[in-house]
Amino acid sequence: MKSKALAHSNIALIKYWGKKDPKLFLPWNSSVSMTLDRLYTVTEVEFSPEFKEDTIIVNGEKLEGEKKEKVVRHLNLIRHIGKTDLKARVVSENNFPFGAGLASSASAFAALTLAATSALGLELSKKELSIISRQGSGSSCRSIYGGFVEWKAGNISEESYAEQIAPKEHWDVRDVIAIVQKEEKKVSSRAGMAQTVETCPFFMKRVEEVGKYLPKLIKAILDKDFKTLGEITEFDCLSMHATMLTTKPMLLYWSPETVRIIKEVVSWREEGIEAYFTVDAGPNVHVITLPEYVKEVEKRLSEIQGVKEVISCGIGDDTKVI
Amino acid sequence: MKSKALAHSNIALIKYWGKKDPKLFLPWNSSVSMTLDRLYTVTEVEFSPEFKEDTIIVNGEKLEGEKKEKVVRHLNLIRHIGKTDLKARVVSENNFPFGAGLASSASAFAALTLAATSALGLELSKKELSIISRQGSGSSCRSIYGGFVEWKAGNISEESYAEQIAPKEHWDVRDVIAIVQKEEKKVSSRAGMAQTVETCPFFMKRVEEVGKYLPKLIKAILDKDFKTLGEITEFDCLSMHATMLTTKPMLLYWSPETVRIIKEVVSWREEGIEAYFTVDAGPNVHVITLPEYVKEVEKRLSEIQGVKEVISCGIGDDTKVI
């Protein structure tokens, strides 16, 4: 009753920001992401009658309080499906910083979902895994798949799942990440998006707009139309941050460096470098580009004042048992 | 046929961004500002049969091209009202940098309007002056008045004018400006707002929202309720910048320093310093505060990395002939 799984993080090209149903993790809008090879979580789960309580160890540290509760709630869901009440020991290792907008909870919950269900001997389809994973952390459902992935919003739990748009072999798109801050953000995504839905006057308009450009992004991925992919990605990122800024109280996830990098990326395009920015709920900037520009983008990003680290990613695989 | 006028700049607490009628300078939403004592333009206008063409000298430099055209068009409007076709010589001096979001065109066109109409011997009410000035540069109509001023959007030219909410003696509110960039912005307000109206999906929602909180801001001014004034001012600024960010192509008027200062101002409030930020179409940050905090705000702003100059303003007077 022990299993280990590896799941990759993902970068959303169309963001998930805002729940229609906070209990079931049903999002207001569908979203699209690329799974990232270099950022991943490895999680081992063991169930045993010998355990008196759940123990969660992340990067060598035992979780307590709200962070532990979040994982225990997810284990409860999986125990319910697996018809068991055995306690678990979860040991998880992330190869990248937590909570700085690198979607650590995406890879963490995808790996946890697969490791735990597999430890209980459950044989689930990827669709089923994505539905379960979604209830631990929304965007984690996209990490169940490699390549380019859509999370269909749906109106009930069974309709809100991830689906692969194209596998990683389809198109070699890169994400060069400029890390400007490694600390956890002050306002978690979960709290932030709840505030946005409640107080931002532009939020429903954003949802409506996503419905218009999401099919165009999927077509751009299938057609390998990089310019369209980049333009939709940037617009969607700005649209999300526009709703964050107009949330009460304001959510300003950007740092000074975020603005500096965004302006740089835009100016590089004038020189012919095909690169587009996107920023999650944090200050780090993801530069979406093509293989031929990666070396130059890495070099330029690392020379920008305030950039602490540059992580270059290709497209990753499905979450898998290892 | 010669007259000299002095007009102050103003800082909008509810911004003007977007024209309903670009020819008549009718805005989509009403706006509210404070006139600023320390930022002003002095303009002398002389009409004479001896002049073969209009000459416009601003800060010692003769204007040509589009910049000259803008002034000549305004002179034409005033000549039409004054029933003359005499050419003019305009000499204007600004005591602050142009085009960096300090509303230089507001004081410039208010001073030009009063100096030119007065040189022609026209006796106009402030309301009439504001209607004329508006057609040279929208926000200049608010600079006709000192104190706290509302520009009523209106639906026809005669209904789109400024009105004083309260004179400067009513309430001693300060604007401590952190200048981070003195160069002119790349995209003028005129071009930027036209793009926003055309392409931003949130724009009409912003207009609708302004209609809700503008009466609350006016009440806050009349009641001297600084917290409400500050909160509405910040929200309106963020709402405008949210529409700018979601304009195609993106309008990112902020610089890295803008973000740094905004975050600082928010953190100062936690220490009990009553200060709120607002940012026009440029990177400079206006910190709206009360007299008792001015010294501390000036000190802190001047210590922030990237701040080139700090200009401390009180509330200014009406535009007047000098």
Side-chain angles (χ1 to χ4, degrees):
Chain A
M1 301 195 78
K2 190 168 168 180
S3 180
K4 195 187 250 188
L6 183 150
H8 294 277
S9 181
N10 66 74
I11 177 67
L13 308 179
I14 291 183
K15 309 294 185 191
Y16 155 52
W17 191 256
K19 294 180 184 71
K20 193 155 56 178
D21 185 328
K23 276 200 178 164
L24 293 176
F25 284 76
L26 297 182
W28 269 107
N29 59 271
S30 298
S31 52
V32 172
S33 61
M34 264 167 47
T35 300
L36 301 175
D37 58 0
R38 282 276 300 278
L39 304 180
Y40 57 83
T41 302
V42 173
T43 300
E44 188 176 62
V45 179
E46 183 179 6
F47 289 95
S48 165
E50 286 177 20
F51 300 151
K52 295 227 168 59
E53 57 162 9
D54 292 322
T55 309
I56 325 292
I57 295 160
V58 176
N59 292 343
E61 213 172 298
K62 204 172 150 187
L63 294 194
E64 298 293 347
E66 177 50 35
K67 286 187 182 177
K68 179 181 176 185
E69 255 324 292
K70 214 174 138 180
V71 177
V72 169
R73 275 198 301 273
H74 200 58
L75 288 170
N76 289 343
L77 173 67
I78 291 167
R79 279 188 278 250
H80 177 75
I81 296 167
K83 298 185 177 62
T84 179
D85 53 10
L86 292 177
K87 298 296 178 190
R89 183 182 159 81
V90 176
V91 181
S92 188
E93 292 284 336
N94 255 40
N95 77 331
F96 60 98
F98 261 101
L102 287 181
S104 52
S105 70
S107 52
F109 277 87
L112 175 67
T113 300
L114 181 57
T117 55
S118 147
L120 290 177
L122 299 168
E123 293 204 0
L124 301 170
S125 68
K126 287 192 190 302
K127 178 177 164 180
E128 288 166 319
L129 286 169
S130 81
I131 291 171
I132 297 169
S133 198
R134 188 199 81 229
Q135 295 170 71
S137 167
S139 57
S140 74
C141 74
R142 295 187 310 242
S143 277
I144 295 294
Y145 292 92
F148 297 87
V149 184
E150 179 187 4
W151 170 14
K152 292 169 183 292
N155 286 307
I156 55 169
S157 189
E158 293 67 36
E159 280 175 2
S160 188
Y161 57 87
E163 210 170 61
Q164 192 177 62
I165 298 165
K168 70 171 191 176
E169 295 74 22
H170 169 69
W171 195 14
D172 188 4
V173 174
R174 303 294 178 90
D175 176 10
V176 186
I177 313 170
I179 310 279
V180 298
Q181 193 182 297
K182 299 190 185 190
E183 298 78 40
E184 276 197 59
K185 56 204 176 205
K186 280 187 205 163
V187 182
S188 71
S189 293
R190 194 169 293 199
M193 64 175 72
Q195 286 170 31
T196 301
V197 172
E198 207 173 311
T199 68
C200 170
F202 303 141
F203 181 71
M204 288 312 298
K205 187 69 187 169
R206 160 168 165 76
V207 170
E208 192 186 316
E209 290 295 306
V210 168
K212 293 182 198 163
Y213 55 70
L214 186 141
K216 292 182 191 167
L217 175 61
I218 291 178
K219 186 172 185 301
I221 291 168
L222 296 174
D223 294 349
K224 301 182 192 176
D225 170 358
F226 192 66
K227 185 165 184 281
T228 302
L229 177 143
E231 287 175 357
I232 293 176
T233 296
E234 285 192 352
F235 182 79
D236 183 75
C237 157
L238 293 166
S239 155
M240 178 179 74
H241 286 276
T243 67
M244 290 163 163
L245 288 175
T246 48
T247 289
K248 290 174 188 169
M250 154 185 89
L251 294 170
L252 176 49
Y253 284 111
W254 292 359
S255 71
E257 292 73 25
T258 312
V259 170
R260 188 174 296 130
I261 300 168
I262 285 176
K263 292 193 172 202
E264 285 290 318
V265 172
V266 170
S267 78
W268 298 344
R269 284 210 294 275
E270 287 165 20
E271 296 176 52
I273 295 173
E274 293 182 76
Y276 296 85
F277 64 83
T278 187
V279 184
D280 277 346
N284 301 321
V285 181
H286 294 250
V287 181
I288 309 299
T289 189
L290 293 169
E292 56 264 47
Y293 306 110
V294 164
K295 278 270 163 280
E296 187 64 23
V297 167
E298 285 174 357
K299 179 174 167 286
R300 290 183 182 210
L301 283 178
S302 62
E303 284 165 358
I304 294 175
Q305 189 198 336
V307 172
K308 294 183 180 164
E309 193 180 339
V310 173
I311 302 176
S312 212
C313 300
I315 299 185
D317 271 323
D318 295 2
T319 294
K320 56 180 178 258
V321 170
I322 55 171
Chain B
M1 302 197 78
K2 189 169 168 179
S3 181
K4 193 188 252 187
L6 182 151
H8 294 278
S9 181
N10 66 73
I11 177 66
L13 308 179
I14 290 182
K15 310 293 187 191
Y16 156 51
W17 192 256
K19 294 181 184 69
K20 192 156 58 181
D21 185 327
K23 275 199 176 161
L24 292 177
F25 284 75
L26 297 183
W28 270 108
N29 60 271
S30 298
S31 51
V32 171
S33 61
M34 265 168 43
T35 301
L36 301 175
D37 58 0
R38 283 276 301 278
L39 304 179
Y40 55 84
T41 303
V42 173
T43 299
E44 187 176 65
V45 179
E46 182 178 7
F47 289 95
S48 165
E50 286 177 18
F51 300 151
K52 294 228 166 60
E53 58 162 8
D54 293 320
T55 309
I56 325 291
I57 295 160
V58 176
N59 293 343
E61 214 173 296
K62 205 172 149 185
L63 295 194
E64 299 292 349
E66 176 52 34
K67 286 186 181 178
K68 179 181 176 184
E69 255 325 293
K70 213 174 137 180
V71 177
V72 169
R73 275 197 301 271
H74 199 59
L75 288 169
N76 289 342
L77 172 67
I78 291 167
R79 279 188 279 251
H80 177 75
I81 296 165
K83 299 185 176 61
T84 180
D85 53 9
L86 292 177
K87 298 296 179 191
R89 182 182 160 80
V90 176
V91 180
S92 189
E93 292 285 336
N94 255 38
N95 76 331
F96 61 97
F98 261 102
L102 287 181
S104 53
S105 69
S107 53
F109 276 86
L112 175 67
T113 300
L114 181 58
T117 55
S118 146
L120 290 176
L122 298 168
E123 295 203 0
L124 301 171
S125 67
K126 286 192 190 301
K127 177 177 165 180
E128 288 166 319
L129 286 169
S130 80
I131 290 171
I132 297 168
S133 199
R134 187 198 81 229
Q135 296 170 71
S137 167
S139 57
S140 76
C141 74
R142 295 188 307 242
S143 277
I144 295 294
Y145 291 93
F148 297 88
V149 184
E150 178 186 4
W151 171 12
K152 292 167 182 293
N155 285 307
I156 56 169
S157 188
E158 292 69 33
E159 281 175 2
S160 188
Y161 56 87
E163 211 170 60
Q164 194 177 61
I165 298 166
K168 70 170 189 176
E169 295 74 22
H170 169 69
W171 194 15
D172 189 3
V173 174
R174 303 296 177 87
D175 176 10
V176 186
I177 313 171
I179 309 279
V180 298
Q181 193 182 295
K182 299 189 184 190
E183 298 78 41
E184 277 198 58
K185 56 204 177 207
K186 280 188 202 160
V187 182
S188 72
S189 293
R190 193 168 295 200
M193 65 176 73
Q195 285 171 31
T196 300
V197 173
E198 207 173 311
T199 68
C200 170
F202 303 140
F203 181 71
M204 288 312 297
K205 187 69 187 169
R206 162 170 163 74
V207 170
E208 193 186 316
E209 290 294 307
V210 169
K212 293 181 199 165
Y213 55 70
L214 186 140
K216 291 180 190 169
L217 175 61
I218 291 178
K219 186 171 184 303
I221 291 168
L222 296 174
D223 295 349
K224 301 182 191 176
D225 170 359
F226 192 64
K227 184 164 184 279
T228 302
L229 177 144
E231 287 175 357
I232 293 176
T233 296
E234 285 192 352
F235 183 79
D236 183 76
C237 157
L238 292 166
S239 154
M240 178 179 74
H241 285 277
T243 67
M244 290 164 162
L245 287 175
T246 47
T247 288
K248 289 175 190 168
M250 155 185 86
L251 294 169
L252 175 50
Y253 284 112
W254 292 359
S255 71
E257 291 74 24
T258 313
V259 170
R260 188 173 297 131
I261 301 167
I262 285 176
K263 292 193 171 203
E264 285 289 318
V265 172
V266 170
S267 77
W268 299 344
R269 285 210 293 277
E270 289 165 19
E271 297 176 51
I273 295 173
E274 294 183 74
Y276 296 85
F277 64 83
T278 187
V279 184
D280 276 348
N284 301 320
V285 181
H286 295 249
V287 181
I288 309 299
T289 189
L290 292 169
E292 55 265 46
Y293 307 110
V294 164
K295 279 271 163 278
E296 186 64 24
V297 167
E298 285 174 359
K299 180 176 166 284
R300 291 183 181 209
L301 283 177
S302 63
E303 284 165 358
I304 295 176
Q305 189 198 337
V307 172
K308 294 184 179 161
E309 194 180 339
V310 173
I311 303 176
S312 210
C313 298
I315 299 185
D317 270 323
D318 296 1
T319 295
K320 55 180 177 260
V321 170
I322 56 171

